[in-house]
Amino acid sequence: MKYALVTGGSRGIGAAIAKELARNGYPVLINFVSREDAALEVKREIEAEGGKAELLKFNVADPKEIDAALDGWIASHPEDYIAVLVNNAGIRRDGLLMWMEDADWYDVINIHLNGFFHVTRKLITPMAKKKWGRVVSVASLSGIKGMPGQTNYSAAKGGIIAATKALALEVAKRKVTVNAVAPGFVETDMTKELDQNTLRETIPAGRFGTAEEVADLVAFLSSDKAAYITGQVIEINGGLNT
Ligand code: NAP
């Protein structure tokens, strides 16, 4: 059976992606790091709609935790494989570079970019062997154009975008596609302290996006219909970058 793994599937964009992938028929592994209550609620909602979901706790910044969780899952599911990987887990630690603490730089790079590396490296081989796979990473407009106060976050997301393009070329012949989505402002816990009234004036669509809108795009890229799209970064930002 083909499973889907959503890192950071307990809240926000990841929770919406987990629910949409389940609606598309995938049993979903909901990864989280601290909010087991939120992950359980996503599982409950998926099951209420007739879908299947399991929780898989690990810190995407910790290679040992990733190995333990994924090796354990693989050993207990000999007939199955993770065919869809959504690299979504993330944090923000904003601040001007001149005053940025080491931890704010390294935590953001470790969670986003090194998390992409460790989780994707583990799961790309089974996808290539089975000759079907989808890797979709949630990047950001910040990784395309750069945002002041986000050198750490822009570097991490820009790194994911470049890695996406390179990895897509490595596995294209194996029918594995590798893409990224780059949202602008999306209404989640991550953006709840931002001043929406001021910011929405800068967005041509006049509003923040919803997690469900991003989830629909990720679900399409994860489907059979998107087999000829690879190495791409699809922007979803209400016209913010045109
Ligand atoms: P969110 O609501 O704050 O949710 C973050 C999710 O990531 C939670 O499920 C959290 O798990 C998980 N997470 C955080 N650190 C983790 C770690 N070390 N290991 C495993 N999971 C971890 O954020 P969001 O807005 O949905 O963001 C999701 C992704 O979209 C991020 O990559 C973010 O950079 C990107 N993005 C967001 C926006 C936006 O405007 N919101 C725009 C562009 C890109 P717990 O629940 O266990 O804490």
Side-chain angles (χ1 to χ4, degrees), residues 69-166:
L70 291 178
D71 287 344
W73 187 86
I74 290 166
S76 62
H77 291 74
E79 303 297 320
D80 309 315
Y81 81 108
I82 295 170
V84 176
L85 164 62
V86 182
N87 290 304
N88 164 82
I91 59 162
R92 286 195 306 135
R93 293 281 185 274
D94 295 355
L96 296 180
L97 182 97
M98 62 180 92
W99 295 310
M100 189 171 286
E101 303 281 347
D102 287 3
D104 291 340
W105 178 269
Y106 288 111
D107 286 354
V108 168
I109 299 290
N110 280 335
I111 289 176
H112 292 270
L113 187 55
N114 295 335
F116 167 95
F117 168 62
H118 287 290
V119 179
T120 308
R121 182 179 62 177
K122 188 111 206 142
L123 299 180
I124 200 81
T125 306
M127 289 185 202
K129 280 191 182 149
K130 301 275 186 190
K131 294 215 170 110
W132 199 97
R134 298 280 183 268
V135 179
V136 184
S137 300
V138 182
S140 168
L141 178 58
S142 196
I144 294 174
K145 73 184 264 327
M147 297 280 230
Q150 290 200 318
T151 52
N152 49 358
Y153 187 83
S154 296
K157 295 302 199 186
I160 288 175
I161 287 170
T164 293
K165 293 178 183 180

Side-chain angles (χ1 to χ4, degrees), residues 153-236:
Y153 187 83
S154 296
K157 295 302 199 186
I160 288 175
I161 287 170
T164 293
K165 293 178 183 180
L167 180 61
L169 303 179
E170 294 181 7
V171 294
K173 284 216 166 55
R174 296 270 171 176
K175 298 186 169 55
V176 178
T177 67
V178 187
N179 292 292
V181 299
F185 292 108
V186 181
E187 211 171 327
T188 66
D189 289 348
M190 189 180 272
T191 52
K192 70 178 175 218
E193 85 283 9
L194 299 182
D195 178 3
Q196 274 207 40
N197 286 334
T198 309
L199 284 168
R200 72 163 64 98
E201 284 168 23
T202 68
I203 305 168
R207 64 172 178 87
F208 277 29
T210 66
E212 289 71 25
E213 287 169 323
V214 180
D216 283 340
L217 174 58
V218 172
F220 172 69
L221 291 172
S222 304
S223 73
D224 270 324
K225 288 181 181 170
Y228 205 51
I229 303 174
T230 197
Q232 302 306 305
V233 185
I234 317 286
E235 295 188 45
I236 173 162

Side-chain angles (χ1 to χ4, degrees), residues 8 10-11 13 33-35 59-60 88 139 153 157 184 186 188 191:
S10 47
R11 287 184 290 126
I13 294 171
V33 66
S34 60
R35 292 285 308 277
N59 177 354
V60 296
N88 164 82
Y153 187 83
K157 295 302 199 186
V186 181
T188 66
T191 52

